[in-house]
Amino acid sequence: MKLKGKIAVVTGAGQGIGRGIAESFADEGADVVINDLKADGRTDEVAKSIRNKGRRALVVAGNVAKRDDVEHLFDTAWSELGPVDILVNNAGIETIVPFTELTDQQWEDVTNTNLKSEWMCAQTFCKRLIAEGRKGSIINIGSIQAARVLPGRTHYAPSKLAVEALTRNISAEVGSHGIRVNCIHPGLIDTPMIRWVLESPEILPHVVAQISLGRPGQPSEIGSVAAFLASDEAAYVTGQALYVDGGWVGK
Ligand SMILES: NC(=O)c1ccc[n+]([C@@H]2O[C@H](COP(=O)([O-])OP(=O)(O)OC[C@H]3O[C@@H](n4cnc5c(N)ncnc54)[C@H](O)[C@@H]3O)[C@@H](O)[C@H]2O)c1
């Protein structure tokens, strides 16, 4: 087991990729703090699945784009489960709006959720690790759209490309404390966020034709890579961005 005895916080883990990562981590022996906007049936189900794997699970609701909620998330994680070893900044939103119609509010909503949240969670986590002299690992979730243009994403794509720069810059500042920071850029992954693509007979074949493996990925296929990056098997890997996209960028 790659993550035996570790404690991980996964943001936006009520469904989709976050859930896949939380479950992969539990399979590898980690206890998991499940964050999402609300504690509801979805988060309960993820917690149940983690407990069924013999690991501890804790649901902490909160909006990771808000400073107070971020502080509450880490306070609760530390006090209920113990010192956290791994943070996965996964929470994100995507909207599709033509560039000339994009509003300030839409820009801010996407940028705050996808980028500012990752900065705030990473900063809060690193301050605690450094104060306690503990090592740790952070995985930031970006997107294939850091490298590929899809229409109507002039707010989403920059927020995701910036995650890569955030990753490199944080990794440079915290490496001497034994904290590693890496980024995963997922391709087309079967989650509620992109169900409309998967269910569209017009759009799906067009997208899949661009993917070398010729299919969408599963959340568990992001989870297994995240588990590797979080583990000691990746002890000399930091500041990197990895496309886990079935060969989309590479095609
Ligand atoms: N699915 C894909 O094909 C794909 C591709 C590239 C990147 N991504 C990225 O992967 C991440 C997960 O995507 P997904 O497909 O699982 O999406 P999803 O919409 O299925 O799940 C995202 C979860 O995050 C939660 N969330 C949203 N805003 C939040 C906030 N402010 N605080 C806490 N939780 C919040 C949502 O409630 C939801 O449960 C996102 O960052 C997304 O941009 C997804």
Side-chain angles (χ1 to χ4, degrees):
M1 283 199 191
K2 290 185 183 67
L3 303 176
K4 200 167 173 7
K6 303 285 186 194
I7 300 174
V9 168
V10 184
T11 70
Q15 64 182 33
I17 291 173
R19 178 177 180 156
I21 292 171
E23 291 179 336
S24 295
F25 280 14
D27 285 335
E28 293 294 344
D31 297 330
V32 187
V33 179
I34 300 148
N35 157 263
D36 210 294
L37 287 169
K38 285 189 297 188
D40 55 17
R42 296 172 317 144
T43 50
D44 286 349
E45 221 182 277
V46 183
K48 195 170 152 196
S49 135
I50 285 166
R51 289 183 191 121
N52 285 343
K53 296 173 191 292
R55 306 311 318 167
R56 293 185 298 165
L58 175 72
V59 175
V60 184
N63 180 346
V64 286
K66 294 194 172 155
R67 174 67 76 178
D68 288 351
D69 288 14
V70 170
E71 294 291 345
H72 174 70
L73 170 60
F74 287 94
D75 281 346
T76 313
W78 240 264
S79 63
E80 301 273 322
L81 289 192
V84 175
D85 305 285
I86 303 160
L87 163 66
V88 182
N89 279 317
N90 163 78
I93 53 171
E94 180 186 53
T95 51
I96 299 168
V97 190
F99 170 55
T100 52
E101 292 167 25
L102 189 64
T103 64
D104 293 0
Q105 191 61 56
Q106 287 164 331
W107 173 273
E108 277 162 28
D109 287 347
V110 162
T111 307
N112 288 347
T113 306
N114 296 358
L115 180 62
K116 187 181 174 193
S117 71
E118 299 204 0
W119 162 66
M120 285 196 298
C121 286
Q123 189 193 48
T124 307
F125 180 49
C126 286
K127 279 180 168 177
R128 282 178 178 264
L129 290 180
I130 292 166
E132 295 180 12
R134 300 179 63 87
K135 296 180 179 179
S137 173
I138 300 175
I139 293 154
N140 294 325
I141 301 299
S143 167
I144 176 83
Q145 293 185 51
R148 283 288 174 279
V149 173
L150 300 178
R153 270 61 157 231
T154 54
H155 50 338
Y156 181 83
S159 76
K160 292 300 191 175
L161 180 54
V163 166
E164 197 175 314
L166 182 75
T167 300
R168 263 199 308 275
N169 280 268
I170 299 174
S171 74
E173 293 206 24
V174 300
S176 62
H177 297 281
I179 304 170
R180 298 184 298 104
V181 192
N182 291 291
C183 167
I184 293 175
H185 289 309
L188 182 74
I189 308 299
D190 182 355
T191 72
M193 178 185 271
I194 56 114
R195 193 117 311 140
W196 64 277
V197 176
L198 300 175
E199 288 171 356
S200 163
E202 292 84 36
I203 300 172
L204 184 61
H206 172 71
V207 178
V208 164
Q210 300 176 59
I211 301 172
S212 300
L213 295 182
R215 64 171 177 85
Q218 292 302 314
S220 61
E221 293 177 303
I222 302 297
S224 54
V225 176
F228 162 71
L229 285 174
S231 77
D232 288 344
E233 289 180 6
Y236 204 51
V237 182
T238 195
Q240 296 301 306
L242 182 61
Y243 283 86
V244 183
D245 63 355
W248 185 348
V249 158
K251 193 169 175 185

